[in-house]
Amino acid sequence: MAKICLITGASSGMGRATALHYAAKGWQVYAVARSADKLAELAAQHANIKPVSLDVTNSVALAGWFAALPAKQKIDVAILNAGNCEYVEATDLDLAAFERTFALNVHAVVACTRYLLPALNLGNQPTLAIVSSMAHFFPFTRSEAYGASKAAVSYFADSLRVDLAATDINVCLIEPGFIDTPLTRKNDFEMPFIMAADDAAKRIFDGIAAAKSRLRFPRRLSVSLKLLGLLPYNLRNALARKMKQQ
């Protein structure tokens, strides 16, 4: 019997590439996203992909879908990948942008986790993977909403791992750098060490298969940001301001 993987934010970018990678490896994939049209296109790429048109910020619809899931359809790997980035202006903070960003990047992750836990294939070492970002490692300009949301979800994943330690659930925190997706193509600045979505999907598949508790890629960006984090606080802030001016 094929193993089952659920991926949110599967209609484009890294989520789409990961869904196709798992399907190609023989997994049955529940591909979750809001866009029914994009999901239909994705499902046409591989018979193992089952499209699920669902808004993960709608907790009522989310609970209903999991309640309707057949009891035998236990999930072996769940990848909570859905997310968005909105840049803001510090002198006129857009409260609605913060609400939208946290609704998808944080609150939806918590809601998905709540309804996923009973659906995981307990006893068979299932994985709950949560996608965050390296963005919260450094104070990037105009990233108050996005970076804060990713800091929150990374902490959530790490704390969740502690509280699920008595179970056989592997909580995997995924913190990618810049991935070539429709979202990052909107950026108007240089993105160092940007990685193809297919390469990111392979890293995710291999890392989860190896039961990693944390994945960071590309490594060169991870190392660079770690080194910046070792700088004295005032020097780090001065460097951030200088980068903003470039």
Side-chain angles (χ1 to χ4, degrees):
M1 183 176 178
K3 289 188 175 183
I4 298 175
C5 175
L6 179 145
I7 303 174
T8 67
S11 62
S12 65
M14 192 169 73
R16 183 181 188 277
T18 304
L20 287 169
H21 194 90
Y22 269 88
K25 293 291 185 180
W27 288 60
Q28 177 181 318
V29 179
Y30 285 115
V32 181
R34 286 178 293 185
S35 175
D37 291 343
K38 290 182 179 179
L39 286 176
E41 293 175 6
L42 174 61
Q45 300 295 310
H46 205 289
N48 286 352
I49 295 178
K50 297 181 179 296
V52 180
S53 181
L54 183 64
D55 181 355
V56 292
T57 66
N58 184 334
S59 58
V60 174
L62 198 61
W65 186 82
F66 277 103
L69 194 66
K72 293 183 179 180
Q73 296 288 298
K74 291 297 183 181
I75 296 168
D76 297 284
V77 169
I79 303 173
L80 304 184
N81 166 75
N84 194 21
C85 174
E86 292 191 49
Y87 296 111
V88 296
E89 298 298 335
T91 54
D92 186 18
L93 291 172
D94 185 345
L95 299 184
F98 275 83
E99 290 171 358
R100 289 189 298 269
T101 300
F102 272 75
L104 183 57
N105 292 4
V106 182
H107 299 155
V109 169
V110 176
C112 285
T113 299
R114 171 181 174 145
Y115 298 117
L116 262 169
L117 290 180
L120 292 176
N121 195 5
L122 298 177
N124 289 277
Q125 298 182 320
T127 292
L128 172 59
I130 296 173
V131 177
S132 179
S133 168
M134 290 189 208
H136 71 93
F137 294 1
F138 191 81
F140 293 105
T141 179
R142 302 178 63 225
S143 296
E144 287 87 345
Y146 180 70
S149 73
K150 291 305 185 180
V153 82
S154 286
Y155 189 94
F156 172 75
D158 283 339
S159 184
L160 185 69
R161 187 185 302 108
V162 172
D163 288 331
L164 293 179
T167 73
D168 70 336
I169 299 170
N170 176 42
V171 177
C172 178
L173 173 60
I174 302 173
E175 294 178 312
F178 294 109
I179 310 299
D180 185 13
T181 69
L183 189 63
T184 57
R185 287 172 202 149
K186 297 177 183 178
N187 291 338
D188 58 359
F189 53 84
E190 182 180 354
M191 294 175 283
F193 313 119
I194 189 166
M195 176 181 286
D198 288 343
D199 291 338
K202 185 179 186 304
R203 300 282 185 101
I204 291 171
F205 181 88
D206 292 344
I208 289 176
K212 297 288 187 180
S213 60
R214 185 179 66 193
L215 300 175
R216 288 177 177 169
F217 51 82
R219 182 176 175 79
R220 288 176 294 174
L221 182 59
S222 175
V223 171
S224 299
L225 291 174
K226 284 180 182 177
L227 291 175
L228 287 174
L230 295 175
L231 293 174
Y233 194 64
N234 288 340
L235 180 57
R236 178 172 171 264
N237 289 339
L239 180 59
R241 289 194 297 269
K242 184 176 181 180
M243 291 173 63
K244 178 183 184 297
Q245 294 167 1
Q246 292 178 350

